[in-house]
């Protein structure tokens, strides 16, 4: 992937997630998880698809939805 490119993830991928505060500048929480689902939607005003990932968070034993910019791949 080139510089500035956003990673694509698939179900089963291990990731490090970052939960930001509402202002988007500071990180509220962080941990590891597993991608459960990838959703892609077309937004009428955007130039491309809007992609979100449903992640099982091992730290909290729950599920949460993240954007690709809030995830980092964990090497297997």
């Amino acid at each position: 992937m080139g510089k500035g490119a956003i990673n694509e993830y698939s179900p089963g991928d291990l990731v490090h997630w970052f939960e930001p505060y509402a202002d988007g500048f500071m990180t509220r929480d962080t941990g590891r998880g597993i991608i459960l689902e990838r959703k892609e939607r077309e937004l009428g005003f955007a130039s491309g698809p809007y992609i979100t990932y449903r992640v099982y968070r091992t730290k909290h034993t729950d599920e949460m939805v993240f954007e690709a910019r809030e995830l980092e791949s964990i090497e297997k």
Side-chain angles (χ1 to χ4, degrees):
M1 236 175 231
K3 186 177 181 180
I6 294 180
N7 288 333
E8 292 274 336
Y9 303 100
S10 300
D13 287 351
L14 300 174
V15 293
H16 191 183
W17 52 265
F18 302 90
E19 182 182 357
Y21 279 105
D23 65 8
F25 293 105
M26 295 182 67
T27 300
R28 178 175 175 218
D29 197 8
T30 182
R32 293 179 178 213
I34 302 166
I35 300 289
L36 298 175
E37 179 182 35
R38 178 186 185 273
K39 282 194 176 181
E40 184 173 325
R41 292 186 285 286
E42 290 294 331
L43 303 177
F45 57 86
S47 61
Y50 178 68
I51 301 169
T52 57
Y53 298 92
R54 189 166 53 96
V55 176
Y56 174 76
R57 302 187 307 167
T58 57
K59 179 179 181 178
H60 299 291
T61 64
D62 66 1
E63 296 175 12
M64 191 164 168
V65 176
F66 292 94
E67 295 179 29
R69 64 186 175 90
E70 299 167 331
L71 301 171
E72 281 183 0
S73 185
I74 295 176
E75 298 300 321
K76 296 178 184 179

